[in-house]
Amino acid sequence: MFEKILIANRGEIACRVARTCRRLSIRAAAIYSEADNGALHTTLCDEAWRLGAAPARESYLRGERILEIARASGAEAIHPGYGFLAENADFAQACADAGLVFIGPPAAAIAAMGSKSAAKRLMGEAGVPLVPGYHGEAQDPDTLAQAARETGYPVLIKPTAGGGGKGMHRVDEADAFADALAAAKREAAASFGDDRMLIEKYLLEPRHIEIQVFADRHGGVVHLFERDCSVQRRYQKVLEEAPAPGVSESLRREMGQAAVQAAQAIGYVGAGTVEFIVEPGGAFYFMEMNTRLQVEHPVTEQVTGLDLVEWQLRVAAGEHLPLVQADLALRGHAFEARVYAEEPRNAFLPAPGRLRHLRTPPAGPHVRIDTGVRAGDTISVHYDPLIAKLIVWDLNRAGALRRLRHALAQFQVTGASTNLEFLQRLAGHPAFAAGELDTGFIVRFRNDLLPPLRRASDRVLALACLAVLLRNDETARRQAAASSDPYSPWHRTDGWVLNDDNHHTLHFHDDHGDIAITAHYRPDHYLLDLPGGTLRARGTLEGGADIRTELDGMQITATVVQRDTELTVLCEGFSHRLLLHDPLTVGMEDEIREGSLKAPMPGTVVQLLVAPGDKVTEGQPLLVLEAMKMEYTIKATTDGIIELIGFKEGDQVQEGAELLAIASK
Ligand code: ADP
């Protein structure tokens, strides 16, 4: 076994690998970009080496520099994690040439699977079933359009170098093909530096089921069963589970054998995943093989009781696989929910930000949290917006799902928008509970999963009021204690100073408008005039953001995070943001120029579709912004004439920057 390795990654996966290293007493060196100075992963390793500036190209993708660090640190091997250089055959080869062990498959196996087209040709030859389509060399638009016609619409355009669902476009009719191809090529060139495409028949209501495989250098190959990753948005996984519900023993065996065959066909070594797309009738087709550890590997660990990173290290050190197929068994059921900083209501776009408050459910035998951030850390625009992976386990699916719902309800984040409520609704959906899964699940149940935003409930408003009143009270008490006249009426907070019938009105504002709530002071409680009636409330501050409350006799502890005038009430797994405002300043905050178009997030302007003076109509695409390797089209909010363009192609923009202005006609 190795004495020391270098972890060539960041975030939760670097932390994950570091934990196994600690357990096995293997020393670990971390690397970090400017944006990750002091990040959690650097503190879990024995040492941390500075790489370069924040953008991945200048840090985590600098293979040469990483090899230099590995040599300087005395590491014998490099664990690439996932993403960045994990599936870069040249990097794996460069490691081998430098006398370092790449903790992954041989460069040739990565290369064989690196192109989805080449992989499909190889798997086709090995007799593994493929989705109908085109995976040839010729890439001119006419050939691809012809291939789409022959395959039959709907089709899926897929970057051959793809990953993470980036650059994939479904096309339903010939007319839309050319535009979709152009967008796919732009995104693929930006993400992978390679804009070659393949065409596949777009399958309806399929499931994504993948098989974890493991191989050693001595000819041993096993599979560790399947994971169902059908619940996806933008072709990216959000919620995964093992085993896949409703999969029979015979289908499991068949898919497992096909995956083992695929691994054998390319002389595979290490951890890999063979992804299949499965039709409702159970027919399965090879999609691709990922030659690395997957984000969702923890669900396999939970149901097999194994540490896959330990297996990777053992295999890379030349050991035999720790177990043979006959020793492997499934136990219980596991889910993984990916908690992202994103806006589910805005096409699930990444929503970077500083995590001012972060509280994860307590970990234990049933709950596991894999994260790379702490409260106060920033989810940066430069990398994946994952906050944490929440993994739960129980003896059966229903039990594990209940644990998932409970744990999600305890997960609290403020400072960045998250998908937590969306995950809650997903985990609570009857069709999900019934295991009715396919890749269209989220789109089909969109209205249930993303219902219209509701007004703050009386309970939320009561909690917000209590938090403000109790904190004011505490501040006044502290000031009184420090003052020369502790009995001065100016330190009283029972409403006396403000008016003589002992009440005070608080003004809140949220997406639905203004809400005024009057609090009447009573000796040991408040009476709150809420939209639904009067409520008797009292409470105590519990330290931090927690308050212990009693609302009409019902006692609960809730969390109300306050930052300046912004209050976030976190209660029963849902969060509600309110602005506490002074009625004198009403109207100031809504002063946004009509027709102005602001950047919804920090990013790069990749394409300008209009010029100053152009006449535009509402809904017309004006500018393409790329953020976190995704394209976002800014459209005209009104008919008019382009008055101003604030940036040129290639410019970086900050969130909220005014991109263009339209003068109404
Ligand atoms: P990536 O490598 O970018 O993740 P994949 O080839 O693994 O891309 O596909 C990602 C997801 O896209 C799949 O899990 C599935 O939901 C969907 N998908 C892929 N191919 C097809 C297809 N032919 N028909 C329908 N959906 C597909």
Side-chain angles (χ1 to χ4, degrees):
M1 185 48 88
F2 308 111
E3 278 295 315
K4 181 171 188 178
I5 70 163
L6 177 101
I7 303 173
N9 214 302
R10 64 176 299 284
E12 72 86 17
I13 192 60
C15 296
R16 162 74 194 86
V17 174
R19 262 195 302 278
T20 293
C21 288
R22 277 208 175 169
R23 192 170 59 73
L24 300 178
S25 294
I26 296 170
R27 282 188 300 142
I31 53 177
Y32 66 94
S33 71
E34 251 164 43
D36 281 337
N37 195 353
L40 186 60
H41 77 275
T42 63
T43 67
L44 295 180
C45 291
D46 299 284
E47 61 200 41
W49 297 67
R50 189 190 170 86
L51 267 177
R57 273 184 305 280
E58 292 167 51
S59 51
Y60 299 103
L61 289 174
R62 287 178 64 192
E64 280 293 317
R65 170 86 184 114
I66 291 170
L67 286 174
E68 250 172 58
I69 293 174
R71 271 191 296 263
S73 72
E76 299 142 78
I78 296 185
H79 195 303
Y82 54 71
F84 300 127
L85 296 168
E87 289 176 286
N88 183 315
D90 292 340
F91 180 69
Q93 189 56 50
C95 288
D97 294 345
L100 290 159
V101 177
F102 178 76
I103 302 172
I110 301 179
M113 290 296 172
S115 150
K116 285 189 211 262
S117 297
K120 284 183 82 170
R121 286 197 286 273
L122 209 68
M123 289 298 117
E125 283 160 22
V128 181
L130 306 177
V131 188
Y134 171 83
H135 45 264
E137 292 288 346
Q139 288 291 314
D140 56 289
D142 289 343
T143 303
L144 294 175
Q146 174 66 20
R149 253 193 310 279
E150 282 167 14
T151 303
Y153 286 97
V155 298
L156 189 62
I157 306 178
K158 246 189 217 189
T160 63
K166 287 167 191 152
M168 288 194 358
H169 287 256
R170 171 183 169 160
V171 191
D172 288 328
E173 53 188 32
D175 280 354
F177 187 82
D179 284 353
L181 181 65
K185 278 182 172 291
R186 266 202 310 276
E187 287 173 20
S191 291
F192 318 114
D194 177 343
D195 69 355
R196 281 173 295 172
M197 296 290 154
L198 62 88
I199 308 287
E200 274 181 10
K201 178 89 192 152
Y202 188 91
L203 300 180
L204 299 171
E205 298 183 12
R207 285 169 75 181
H208 173 123
I209 301 182
E210 59 185 33
I211 306 283
Q212 174 74 54
V213 291
F214 241 104
D216 63 23
R217 291 196 199 149
H218 313 284
V221 188
V222 296
H223 70 83
L224 303 179
F225 314 104
E226 80 282 5
R227 294 183 283 259
D228 192 311
C229 314
S230 300
V231 181
Q232 306 178 345
R233 86 270 183 270
R234 292 194 330 241
Y235 305 118
Q236 290 175 352
K237 302 159 185 168
V238 231
L239 214 153
E240 302 98 342
E241 60 183 296
V247 162
S248 65
E249 268 311 316
S250 62
L251 181 58
R252 176 167 297 130
R253 212 172 316 113
E254 244 184 280
M255 291 180 74
Q257 277 164 3
V260 165
Q261 252 170 25
Q264 280 165 336
I266 54 163
Y268 201 75
V269 177
T273 296
V274 182
E275 295 189 338
F276 293 106
I277 189 152
V278 184
E279 285 195 304
F284 62 89
Y285 308 98
F286 171 83
M287 259 194 306
E288 64 163 344
M289 179 168 185
N290 289 324
T291 54
R292 53 166 164 87
L293 201 63
Q294 298 272 90
V295 178
E296 59 274 20
H297 76 276
V299 291
T300 298
E301 296 188 319
Q302 298 310 118
V303 294
T304 57
L306 303 170
D307 178 337
L308 299 195
V309 174
E310 177 179 349
W311 275 44
Q312 285 191 297
L313 292 166
R314 293 199 179 285
V315 164
E319 294 182 23
H320 283 88
L321 286 175
L323 297 172
V324 296
Q325 194 70 54
D327 296 335
L328 290 159
L330 279 171
R331 183 167 172 272
H333 202 98
F335 287 98
E336 173 185 277
R338 301 189 190 188
V339 180
Y340 281 109
E342 66 181 17
E343 291 277 8
R345 288 171 198 283
N346 186 12
F348 296 96
L349 277 181
R354 182 155 173 260
L355 308 174
R356 296 180 189 283
H357 172 88
L358 172 66
R359 189 183 288 165
T360 56
H366 294 276
V367 176
R368 162 176 167 184
I369 313 288
D370 281 16
T371 185
V373 290
R374 304 150 293 199
D377 286 351
T378 295
I379 298 293
S380 143
V381 57
H382 297 288
Y383 317 113
D384 192 69
L386 184 72
I387 298 173
K389 306 188 305 200
L390 167 63
I391 303 116
V392 296
W393 177 89
D394 209 328
L395 282 172
N396 55 42
R397 189 172 189 267
L401 192 52
R402 194 183 65 249
R403 296 209 183 261
L404 178 63
R405 286 192 292 264
H406 188 242
L408 281 168
Q410 293 171 292
F411 210 119
Q412 299 181 339
V413 179
T414 73
S417 294
T418 72
N419 62 343
L420 275 165
E421 288 194 21
F422 172 78
L423 290 170
Q424 278 277 14
R425 293 207 163 82
L426 200 52
H429 200 281
F432 186 76
E436 293 164 13
L437 304 181
D438 68 72
T439 61
F441 189 94
I442 290 177
V443 173
R444 182 161 52 250
F445 294 112
R446 195 175 192 287
N447 293 342
D448 298 341
L449 301 174
L450 294 167
L453 287 172
R454 265 182 299 175
R455 281 207 90 109
S457 65
D458 277 11
R459 180 176 297 177
V460 164
L461 293 171
L463 291 169
C465 285
L466 265 182
V468 173
L469 296 167
L470 293 170
R471 281 172 198 156
N472 280 354
D473 223 25
E474 193 187 59
T475 309
R477 255 200 308 274
R478 234 185 291 125
Q479 282 168 354
S483 105
S484 55
D485 178 10
Y487 301 104
S488 158
W490 299 104
H491 299 308
R492 288 178 64 169
T493 55
D494 57 4
W496 177 88
V497 180
L498 303 158
N499 38 54
D500 36 6
D501 64 348
N502 280 19
H503 71 263
H504 181 53
T505 301
L506 294 163
H507 296 267
F508 294 103
H509 180 83
D510 70 3
D511 295 334
H512 297 270
D514 294 331
I515 314 149
I517 295 161
T518 300
H520 302 271
Y521 295 76
R522 295 290 179 268
D524 69 341
H525 63 273
Y526 302 96
L527 285 178
L528 304 177
D529 292 339
L530 295 159
T534 299
L535 190 133
R536 187 187 153 103
R538 62 179 179 171
T540 46
L541 296 172
E542 289 283 283
D546 290 343
I547 44 175
R548 178 135 192 85
T549 66
E550 188 178 311
L551 307 175
D552 272 350
M554 199 269 297
Q555 300 178 350
I556 46 165
T557 298
T559 307
V560 182
V561 179
Q562 184 163 3
R563 182 174 163 251
D564 303 328
T565 56
E566 182 191 276
L567 290 158
T568 309
V569 180
L570 299 145
C571 170
E572 297 166 333
F574 292 92
S575 75
H576 202 103
R577 234 178 99 239
L578 293 163
L579 293 176
L580 179 66
H581 75 144
D582 180 343
L584 294 176
T585 61
V586 174
M588 298 289 284
E589 60 216 359
D590 296 326
E591 207 192 287
I592 293 171
R593 240 169 76 209
E594 206 193 315
S596 87
L597 296 142
K598 299 191 180 224
M601 56 199 300
T604 311
V605 176
V606 288
Q607 210 186 5
L608 272 171
L609 304 166
V610 288
D614 282 3
K615 217 189 240 179
V616 295
T617 51
E618 186 180 333
Q620 179 179 336
L622 306 176
L623 177 149
V624 184
L625 189 69
E626 191 215 272
M628 295 185 168
K629 304 266 186 272
M630 279 214 5
E631 285 198 357
Y632 185 77
T633 305
I634 307 289
K635 295 182 178 153
T637 47
T638 165
D639 293 352
I641 289 169
I642 299 290
E643 189 185 46
L644 175 135
I645 299 183
F647 298 90
K648 56 183 190 316
E649 287 180 7
D651 280 356
Q652 302 272 336
V653 297
Q654 291 302 312
E655 182 179 335
E658 194 162 323
L659 299 170
L660 313 105
I662 301 175
S664 315
K665 280 188 288 195

